[in-house]
Amino acid sequence: MNKLLETIIENNREWTQKGKVATYIPELSKANPNHLGIAVYTIDNEEFCAGDCNVKFTIQSISKVIALMLALLDNGKEIVFSKVDMEPTADTFNSISSLETRNPNKPLNPMINSGAIVTSSLINGKNGSEVIERLLKFTRKITNNPDIDINYNVYKSEKETGHRNRALAYYMKSIGIIEGDVEEVLDVYFKQCSIEATCKDIAKIGAMLANDGILPWNGERVIPRQVARIVKTIMLTCGMYDASGEFAVKIGVPGKSGVGGGILVAVPSRMGIGVFGPALDSKGNSIAGWKVLEDISKELDLSIL
Amino acid sequence: MNKLLETIIENNREWTQKGKVATYIPELSKANPNHLGIAVYTIDNEEFCAGDCNVKFTIQSISKVIALMLALLDNGKEIVFSKVDMEPTADTFNSISSLETRNPNKPLNPMINSGAIVTSSLINGKNGSEVIERLLKFTRKITNNPDIDINYNVYKSEKETGHRNRALAYYMKSIGIIEGDVEEVLDVYFKQCSIEATCKDIAKIGAMLANDGILPWNGERVIPRQVARIVKTIMLTCGMYDASGEFAVKIGVPGKSGVGGGILVAVPSRMGIGVFGPALDSKGNSIAGWKVLEDISKELDLSIL
Amino acid sequence: MNKLLETIIENNREWTQKGKVATYIPELSKANPNHLGIAVYTIDNEEFCAGDCNVKFTIQSISKVIALMLALLDNGKEIVFSKVDMEPTADTFNSISSLETRNPNKPLNPMINSGAIVTSSLINGKNGSEVIERLLKFTRKITNNPDIDINYNVYKSEKETGHRNRALAYYMKSIGIIEGDVEEVLDVYFKQCSIEATCKDIAKIGAMLANDGILPWNGERVIPRQVARIVKTIMLTCGMYDASGEFAVKIGVPGKSGVGGGILVAVPSRMGIGVFGPALDSKGNSIAGWKVLEDISKELDLSIL
Amino acid sequence: MNKLLETIIENNREWTQKGKVATYIPELSKANPNHLGIAVYTIDNEEFCAGDCNVKFTIQSISKVIALMLALLDNGKEIVFSKVDMEPTADTFNSISSLETRNPNKPLNPMINSGAIVTSSLINGKNGSEVIERLLKFTRKITNNPDIDINYNVYKSEKETGHRNRALAYYMKSIGIIEGDVEEVLDVYFKQCSIEATCKDIAKIGAMLANDGILPWNGERVIPRQVARIVKTIMLTCGMYDASGEFAVKIGVPGKSGVGGGILVAVPSRMGIGVFGPALDSKGNSIAGWKVLEDISKELDLSIL
């Protein structure tokens, strides 16, 4: 397997030249566009990796999956889906128009920015600090990595320049979707996006989801099977921005990408996969990471359909 | 199994009271809103059914699945997806705005009306009559029912009143997505929507898809595995109008509904299901049929995630 | 005055280099982009002109003003404005989205394509031929030119390629805004757009409007003062596509342009102006014609505000 | 004249029953819906009034006219219109979609909320306090009323609940249209909306605009004629929210309404009019105030077209 992963990484490294690293904040633009790595973690507790699988990156939108799990654990699905819908959309991830034109006025799903900000606002905690602490603690548990933490430089950049997300959040405040203090909610959101991890960490999150909510390394159930199912389904239909449909057709498994270059994949009953390649395509997905996943999906027949 | 199906039908029959039959054409408004039926056809060639499973109805949007198969067989996926995208959308099935505002200008997927009209325009045939003949012949084969035919009263109604679809088609003609004669393309589309079938016929189509393209009753491969995969994936992400995401979360299998009240379901490697209940919910899906599928999905643990 | 007009034409002829003639139909693309002409017709019955003021061109969208007058004469304002609104819009002239997203579903004003097609459908006549005959007769009267006729090559081109307008018309048929046969309504519309005239003809239409509905050359009232007022107001707020606001600020008088390169202007209580320059700016207005009007507005202090 | 005004007020008072006072902030909902008043101030320095013309109200969106004058005085039209367009729109006054979908991304005009927030951000002042001081000073001068001040209860309400405007402002910050601190810009905006005045004050602002920028009572020029022209033109095409076109057709003069119930009107070369009636129609304009203006426009033949 390690051999296969290495071959796939080498075969696709040239794709890193065809994308561009995110530049909307200075910290992200410092990423090395040539990086490309993959890690696989099976539900039988085996780990494989190749390429730059030990390089840390900020998980960005991958954190939306983690926040959704906590929000569902804290509130149950009825409350969560009364505030954010579960419909895929061909709008861009930071679209504000759809909030205005849809009826009822709620974000279309928890994988676009507006929906993810709502999701974060639903996590329990007496203040923002407590919320982010719970998010970090949960992330450390499902990655089996006590060193997981926030990259504060990225966080500060996000906070200073995150005016588009502010617009989304204040819009939702104005229509009653967000109840608390907007800046406090956004602070949690900017921090969760700035959590740093490696492919290996991401692969373990995928393995837990693939294993229906049970950590493969110690048999502990961290989320109910139904929560795992909901999260994987929403990843499948909505996880790759406005290329989610194409990802489902071409790769055929639940995935979630982030503009930091990471992609989280959960192959039901088989394995989690973490991919990292900061050069992005025009829709914000890791360009080489996507190609790596196409190859591994074909080689291992991963598609669930 | 027949017992289980009967129980589920009885438990959900009250839901038929909460929906409304389609009224946009007189023929459809004559449907009996109390009808509710289900048929299951396994890949092991067993058939089960309960309720009004022998009542004929027009398949309407379920025909989009059949047309997509033929278009892929005739052209290959590269050509088909150069004309119609594969992205799910939260827009309504007959939306015209998204054609104007998206870049590039192509229908978002083959399960909304605009995309389906394009799909039909891509089926080989020296004229419209030949195209619809091929469609009928293919439908007869995959339902194992030589009596499948068009309901000409419904067809005439559709043709006379289908101005919204005409608008979509002429818009696509104006941007070069449709190449042939618009009225001829629409004639095929109105006819394919007016094909009549029963739950049992629909279940067999589902069984063929569940069986990766092979007819369970005689082992004949009618479409390549890859075409079956693409079709099932697009059903999963786009098949239930703007409730596709919710269907994926709650039922968890590829499905396609029609405003005639039918729902086609393919449970990978297990079975096809056909449901019929002409009372519709506000999004155009059979209201009781949806509930029946929720129950059977729970009972038989059908979800693929 | 003729001297002034000649100076202005010469000063602005270089602007013709910066635009492009319409190319959506072959006939229009044959126009000479260097043409530039102006005619002025005062309510005191004086005529002045300079440049290419005897060159014929198809009036295209300028015909929307003529059709609106007839529709108001035939139906009264209540009926007309129950079918088409009177609100300016920043959408493009051929936008279809706004028909879908606005509530109520009616075209925003009679100067965009959708609204103009409705307007034409409201003109009395037992069939399309009679409608276009009435339109031509009325146009001949208000231009004092019995030779006004349709350019049949342009008309045929429009009809063959007018799929975008077909989409608009069928959409409006589907929502009940257009009542008659769509192709017959469109035939009138394509013919009215293909009416040929010169700057001098156009200036006379403007003079009639400037004169509150009375033909300056014979004192005959052709439309009531109130109809003249409504038409001029809608020209002021909506006449120059999505540059209407800028035209009002910079030139300050009611105007209506066409992609054939013509602009009709009515300066209340003073004069009509016809301008012709087929090289268009990016919004579809004559680029040099606009500049000519800016200069003459400044020189003669034409702004009504 | 006073007699005429009184008759018109009495004839239209019943219309106050058909509208509703604004309720988005508690302070505004306390308004007396039966109030109805009018004041006329001619360029010959005569004042007339009738009804509740001494009742104070917050000017709300009427302040957009004042801010636009100052922004033009401070920056010139090139700079102002590089940040905000001058095109009328059929979108609602607080639309955020159009910011996202238009190209280029700038507010359509200074009379909708997004455009007005930009306008306020362009007024000189070393901080928000200085800007609002200048706005107040200017307002006192053009109303000839040194007592003009802010209603601090309304201001506090606006600031606490103005999340929709915050969303607009942060969106514009994210695309570079607003340069300074968003909360400081919004503070100015909320304060300017909370300026209190009577019909008589508003009529004087109208008289100054009608008089091309010269105060009728002392002959002082406060803005250049060209600025007065631009402001009046934008009022005419954009001043009454998405009913601007209808107002132009039915009343035919530049106007600007506010949700506090006021309407500012400038009749070129004749008079200013201030109307007050807090019961609003569905588009946010004073329902009886509009009727009063229809009547007075007919009686005095005010239409400029």
Side-chain angles (χ1 to χ4, degrees):
Chain A
M1 177 74 119
N2 276 325
K3 183 75 193 135
L4 172 69
L5 298 184
E6 267 156 37
T7 306
I8 289 175
I9 289 291
E10 285 327 302
N11 287 348
N12 287 292
R13 205 175 275 278
E14 63 181 328
W15 280 98
T16 61
Q17 310 297 317
K18 309 211 168 137
K20 283 184 192 156
V21 302
T23 55
Y24 70 96
I25 56 170
E27 283 301 308
L28 288 181
S29 67
K30 294 177 192 161
N32 179 344
N34 302 321
H35 275 158
L36 187 61
I38 185 169
V40 166
Y41 203 101
T42 71
I43 66 169
D44 304 321
N45 216 20
E46 289 182 297
E47 185 178 54
F48 307 94
C49 62
D52 304 303
C53 59
N54 289 307
V55 176
K56 282 187 188 177
F57 54 91
T58 53
I59 64 172
Q60 299 292 339
S61 290
I62 296 174
S63 71
K64 293 168 180 173
V65 174
I66 304 170
L68 177 57
M69 288 189 268
L70 271 190
L72 285 166
L73 287 176
D74 285 356
N75 302 273
K77 61 186 176 175
E78 278 71 23
I79 289 176
V80 170
F81 294 117
S82 72
K83 298 280 189 178
V84 51
D85 213 333
M86 49 180 116
E87 290 307 321
T89 171
D91 297 330
T92 56
F93 64 93
N94 58 6
S95 170
I96 199 160
S97 305
S98 63
L99 280 177
E100 186 168 68
T101 55
R102 296 283 166 202
N103 183 7
N105 280 133
K106 58 180 177 181
L108 282 163
N109 67 64
M111 299 292 115
I112 54 175
N113 287 16
S114 53
I117 294 169
V118 172
T119 307
S120 298
S121 81
L122 292 171
I123 300 174
N124 289 346
K126 66 174 190 291
N127 55 35
S129 304
E130 204 174 292
V131 171
I132 192 68
E133 262 320 304
R134 290 189 62 223
L135 257 164
L136 275 171
K137 199 175 153 195
F138 185 68
T139 308
R140 285 167 191 148
K141 171 172 279 222
I142 61 179
T143 56
N144 199 21
N145 181 353
D147 297 331
I148 291 284
D149 215 332
I150 291 162
N151 179 325
Y152 280 90
N153 284 332
V154 171
Y155 156 66
K156 268 186 283 180
S157 264
E158 303 267 7
K159 193 176 172 86
E160 270 162 31
T161 62
H163 302 303
R164 179 74 170 253
N165 286 321
R166 246 174 218 107
L168 289 168
Y170 278 111
Y171 193 94
M172 292 189 290
K173 178 78 182 174
S174 80
I175 57 174
I177 296 286
I178 286 183
E179 278 167 33
D181 179 76
V182 169
E183 287 296 336
E184 195 160 18
V185 169
L186 285 168
D187 195 64
V188 168
Y189 182 72
F190 294 137
K191 278 178 178 153
Q192 78 180 49
C193 288
S194 306
I195 291 173
E196 271 190 330
T198 66
C199 287
K200 290 179 175 175
D201 299 316
I202 299 301
K204 283 184 209 151
I205 301 175
M208 178 274 285
L209 286 166
N211 203 27
D212 283 337
I214 293 170
L215 302 177
W217 50 91
N218 64 8
E220 181 184 348
R221 173 170 292 287
V222 287
I223 54 172
R225 187 184 166 217
Q226 198 197 31
V227 169
R229 271 203 54 228
I230 292 172
V231 169
K232 279 182 284 186
T233 306
I234 291 176
M235 286 167 68
L236 186 67
T237 54
C238 316
M240 303 298 285
Y241 308 125
D242 43 323
S244 299
E246 189 183 349
F247 191 84
V249 166
K250 293 194 173 159
I251 295 162
V253 289
K256 180 74 205 85
S257 65
V259 292
I263 305 178
L264 159 68
V265 164
V267 187
S269 305
R270 293 181 66 181
M271 66 185 72
I273 306 175
V275 171
F276 168 58
L280 307 178
D281 64 23
S282 65
K283 292 189 166 181
N285 296 310
S286 172
I287 191 164
W290 178 297
K291 290 292 172 183
V292 163
L293 287 168
E294 277 197 40
D295 282 0
I296 196 169
S297 177
K298 243 171 262 162
E299 286 296 330
L300 303 181
D301 197 18
L302 299 183
S303 173
I304 60 173
L305 283 164
Chain B
M1 178 75 117
N2 277 326
K3 182 76 192 136
L4 172 69
L5 297 184
E6 268 155 37
T7 307
I8 289 175
I9 289 290
E10 286 327 302
N11 287 348
N12 288 292
R13 205 175 274 278
E14 64 179 328
W15 278 99
T16 61
Q17 308 298 317
K18 309 210 167 139
K20 284 184 191 156
V21 302
T23 55
Y24 69 97
I25 57 172
E27 283 301 308
L28 288 182
S29 68
K30 295 177 193 162
N32 180 345
N34 303 321
H35 274 157
L36 187 62
I38 185 168
V40 165
Y41 203 101
T42 70
I43 65 169
D44 304 321
N45 217 18
E46 290 183 298
E47 185 178 55
F48 309 95
C49 63
D52 305 303
C53 58
N54 289 309
V55 177
K56 283 187 187 178
F57 54 92
T58 53
I59 63 172
Q60 300 292 338
S61 290
I62 297 175
S63 72
K64 293 168 180 172
V65 174
I66 303 170
L68 177 58
M69 288 189 268
L70 271 191
L72 285 167
L73 286 176
D74 285 355
N75 302 273
K77 61 185 176 175
E78 278 71 23
I79 287 175
V80 170
F81 294 117
S82 73
K83 297 280 191 179
V84 51
D85 213 334
M86 49 180 113
E87 290 306 321
T89 170
D91 298 330
T92 55
F93 63 93
N94 58 5
S95 171
I96 199 161
S97 305
S98 63
L99 280 178
E100 186 169 67
T101 56
R102 296 283 165 201
N103 184 6
N105 281 130
K106 58 180 176 183
L108 281 163
N109 67 65
M111 298 292 116
I112 54 175
N113 287 17
S114 53
I117 294 168
V118 172
T119 307
S120 298
S121 82
L122 291 172
I123 299 173
N124 289 346
K126 66 174 188 293
N127 56 34
S129 306
E130 202 174 293
V131 172
I132 192 67
E133 263 319 305
R134 291 190 61 224
L135 258 164
L136 275 171
K137 196 174 156 197
F138 185 68
T139 307
R140 286 168 191 146
K141 171 171 280 224
I142 61 179
T143 56
N144 199 21
N145 180 353
D147 297 331
I148 291 284
D149 214 332
I150 291 163
N151 179 324
Y152 280 91
N153 285 331
V154 171
Y155 156 67
K156 269 187 283 180
S157 264
E158 302 267 8
K159 192 176 173 87
E160 270 161 32
T161 62
H163 302 302
R164 179 73 170 253
N165 286 320
R166 249 176 213 105
L168 289 168
Y170 278 111
Y171 193 94
M172 293 190 290
K173 178 78 180 175
S174 80
I175 56 174
I177 295 287
I178 287 183
E179 276 167 35
D181 179 75
V182 169
E183 288 296 337
E184 194 159 20
V185 170
L186 284 169
D187 194 65
V188 170
Y189 182 72
F190 294 137
K191 280 179 178 153
Q192 77 179 49
C193 288
S194 307
I195 292 174
E196 271 191 330
T198 67
C199 286
K200 289 180 176 176
D201 299 315
I202 300 300
K204 283 184 209 149
I205 301 176
M208 177 274 284
L209 286 166
N211 203 26
D212 284 336
I214 294 169
L215 302 177
W217 49 91
N218 65 8
E220 181 184 349
R221 174 170 291 287
V222 287
I223 54 172
R225 188 183 166 217
Q226 198 197 33
V227 169
R229 271 203 54 227
I230 291 173
V231 169
K232 281 183 282 186
T233 305
I234 290 175
M235 287 168 68
L236 185 68
T237 55
C238 317
M240 303 297 285
Y241 307 127
D242 44 324
S244 299
E246 191 183 347
F247 191 84
V249 166
K250 293 194 173 159
I251 295 162
V253 289
K256 180 75 206 86
S257 64
V259 292
I263 306 179
L264 159 68
V265 165
V267 188
S269 305
R270 294 182 63 180
M271 65 185 71
I273 305 175
V275 171
F276 167 58
L280 307 179
D281 64 23
S282 64
K283 292 189 167 181
N285 297 309
S286 172
I287 191 165
W290 178 297
K291 290 292 173 184
V292 162
L293 287 168
E294 277 196 42
D295 282 359
I296 198 171
S297 176
K298 243 171 262 163
E299 285 297 328
L300 303 181
D301 197 19
L302 299 183
S303 172
I304 59 172
L305 281 166
Chain C
M1 179 73 119
N2 278 325
K3 182 76 193 136
L4 172 68
L5 297 183
E6 268 156 36
T7 307
I8 288 176
I9 289 291
E10 286 325 304
N11 287 348
N12 287 292
R13 205 175 274 278
E14 63 178 329
W15 279 98
T16 60
Q17 310 298 317
K18 309 210 168 140
K20 284 184 190 154
V21 301
T23 55
Y24 70 96
I25 55 171
E27 283 302 307
L28 288 181
S29 67
K30 295 177 192 162
N32 179 344
N34 302 320
H35 275 157
L36 187 62
I38 185 168
V40 165
Y41 203 100
T42 72
I43 66 170
D44 304 321
N45 217 20
E46 289 183 298
E47 184 178 56
F48 308 94
C49 62
D52 305 302
C53 58
N54 289 308
V55 176
K56 282 187 189 177
F57 53 93
T58 53
I59 64 173
Q60 301 290 341
S61 290
I62 296 175
S63 71
K64 294 168 180 173
V65 174
I66 303 170
L68 177 59
M69 289 189 268
L70 271 190
L72 285 166
L73 287 175
D74 285 355
N75 302 273
K77 62 184 174 175
E78 278 73 21
I79 288 176
V80 170
F81 294 117
S82 72
K83 299 279 191 180
V84 52
D85 213 333
M86 49 180 112
E87 291 306 323
T89 171
D91 297 330
T92 54
F93 64 93
N94 59 6
S95 171
I96 199 162
S97 305
S98 63
L99 281 177
E100 184 168 68
T101 55
R102 296 282 165 202
N103 183 7
N105 280 130
K106 59 181 175 180
L108 281 163
N109 67 65
M111 299 291 116
I112 53 175
N113 287 18
S114 53
I117 293 169
V118 172
T119 308
S120 299
S121 81
L122 292 170
I123 300 173
N124 290 345
K126 67 173 188 291
N127 54 35
S129 306
E130 203 174 291
V131 172
I132 193 67
E133 262 320 304
R134 291 189 61 226
L135 257 164
L136 274 172
K137 197 174 156 196
F138 185 69
T139 307
R140 285 166 191 146
K141 172 172 280 224
I142 62 179
T143 56
N144 199 22
N145 180 354
D147 297 331
I148 291 284
D149 215 331
I150 291 162
N151 178 323
Y152 280 90
N153 285 330
V154 171
Y155 156 66
K156 268 186 283 179
S157 264
E158 302 267 8
K159 194 176 173 85
E160 269 160 32
T161 61
H163 302 302
R164 178 74 171 252
N165 285 321
R166 247 174 218 108
L168 289 168
Y170 278 110
Y171 193 94
M172 293 190 291
K173 178 78 181 175
S174 79
I175 57 174
I177 295 287
I178 287 183
E179 278 166 35
D181 179 76
V182 170
E183 287 296 335
E184 193 159 22
V185 169
L186 285 169
D187 194 64
V188 170
Y189 182 72
F190 294 136
K191 278 177 179 154
Q192 77 180 50
C193 287
S194 307
I195 292 173
E196 271 191 330
T198 66
C199 287
K200 289 180 174 175
D201 300 314
I202 298 299
K204 282 184 209 150
I205 301 175
M208 177 275 283
L209 286 166
N211 204 26
D212 284 336
I214 294 169
L215 302 176
W217 49 92
N218 64 7
E220 179 185 349
R221 173 170 293 286
V222 287
I223 55 173
R225 188 186 165 217
Q226 198 198 31
V227 170
R229 269 204 55 227
I230 290 173
V231 170
K232 280 183 282 186
T233 306
I234 291 176
M235 287 167 68
L236 186 67
T237 55
C238 317
M240 302 298 283
Y241 308 124
D242 44 323
S244 299
E246 189 182 350
F247 191 85
V249 166
K250 293 193 172 160
I251 296 161
V253 290
K256 180 75 205 87
S257 64
V259 292
I263 305 178
L264 158 68
V265 164
V267 187
S269 306
R270 295 180 64 180
M271 66 185 71
I273 306 176
V275 171
F276 168 57
L280 308 178
D281 64 23
S282 64
K283 292 189 167 181
N285 297 309
S286 171
I287 192 164
W290 178 298
K291 291 290 172 183
V292 162
L293 287 167
E294 276 196 44
D295 281 1
I296 197 170
S297 176
K298 244 170 259 161
E299 285 296 328
L300 303 180
D301 197 18
L302 299 182
S303 172
I304 60 172
L305 282 165
Chain D
M1 176 74 118
N2 278 325
K3 183 75 191 133
L4 171 69
L5 297 184
E6 268 155 37
T7 307
I8 289 175
I9 290 290
E10 286 326 303
N11 288 349
N12 287 293
R13 205 177 274 277
E14 62 180 329
W15 279 99
T16 61
Q17 310 297 318
K18 309 209 169 142
K20 284 186 188 152
V21 301
T23 55
Y24 70 95
I25 57 172
E27 283 301 308
L28 288 181
S29 66
K30 294 178 193 162
N32 180 344
N34 302 319
H35 275 157
L36 188 61
I38 185 168
V40 165
Y41 203 101
T42 71
I43 66 169
D44 305 321
N45 218 20
E46 288 183 297
E47 185 178 54
F48 308 95
C49 62
D52 306 301
C53 58
N54 289 308
V55 177
K56 282 187 187 176
F57 55 90
T58 53
I59 63 173
Q60 299 292 339
S61 290
I62 298 175
S63 71
K64 293 169 179 172
V65 175
I66 304 170
L68 177 58
M69 289 189 267
L70 271 191
L72 285 166
L73 287 176
D74 285 356
N75 301 273
K77 62 185 175 175
E78 278 73 21
I79 288 175
V80 170
F81 294 117
S82 72
K83 298 278 190 180
V84 51
D85 213 333
M86 48 181 116
E87 291 306 323
T89 171
D91 298 329
T92 55
F93 64 93
N94 59 7
S95 170
I96 199 162
S97 304
S98 62
L99 280 177
E100 186 169 69
T101 54
R102 296 284 167 201
N103 183 7
N105 280 131
K106 57 180 178 181
L108 281 162
N109 67 66
M111 299 291 115
I112 53 174
N113 288 17
S114 53
I117 294 169
V118 172
T119 308
S120 298
S121 81
L122 292 172
I123 300 173
N124 290 346
K126 66 173 187 289
N127 55 36
S129 307
E130 204 173 292
V131 171
I132 192 67
E133 261 321 303
R134 292 188 60 224
L135 257 164
L136 274 171
K137 198 175 156 195
F138 185 69
T139 308
R140 285 168 190 146
K141 171 171 279 221
I142 61 179
T143 56
N144 199 21
N145 181 353
D147 297 331
I148 291 285
D149 214 332
I150 291 162
N151 179 324
Y152 280 91
N153 285 331
V154 171
Y155 156 67
K156 268 186 284 180
S157 265
E158 303 266 9
K159 193 177 172 85
E160 269 160 33
T161 61
H163 302 302
R164 179 75 170 251
N165 286 321
R166 244 172 221 108
L168 289 168
Y170 278 111
Y171 193 94
M172 292 190 290
K173 179 77 182 176
S174 81
I175 56 173
I177 294 288
I178 287 183
E179 278 167 33
D181 178 77
V182 169
E183 287 298 334
E184 194 159 20
V185 169
L186 284 168
D187 195 64
V188 168
Y189 182 72
F190 294 135
K191 279 178 178 153
Q192 78 179 47
C193 287
S194 306
I195 291 173
E196 272 191 331
T198 67
C199 286
K200 290 180 174 174
D201 299 316
I202 299 301
K204 283 183 208 150
I205 301 175
M208 177 275 284
L209 286 166
N211 204 26
D212 284 337
I214 294 169
L215 302 176
W217 49 91
N218 65 8
E220 181 186 347
R221 174 170 291 285
V222 287
I223 54 172
R225 187 186 166 216
Q226 198 198 31
V227 170
R229 271 203 54 228
I230 291 172
V231 169
K232 280 183 283 187
T233 306
I234 290 175
M235 286 168 68
L236 185 67
T237 54
C238 316
M240 302 298 283
Y241 308 125
D242 43 322
S244 298
E246 189 183 349
F247 191 86
V249 166
K250 293 193 173 161
I251 296 162
V253 289
K256 180 75 206 86
S257 65
V259 292
I263 306 179
L264 158 68
V265 164
V267 188
S269 305
R270 294 180 65 180
M271 65 186 71
I273 305 175
V275 171
F276 167 58
L280 307 179
D281 63 22
S282 64
K283 292 190 167 181
N285 297 308
S286 173
I287 190 163
W290 178 297
K291 291 291 172 183
V292 162
L293 288 168
E294 276 196 42
D295 281 1
I296 197 170
S297 177
K298 244 170 259 162
E299 286 297 328
L300 303 180
D301 198 18
L302 299 183
S303 172
I304 60 172
L305 282 165

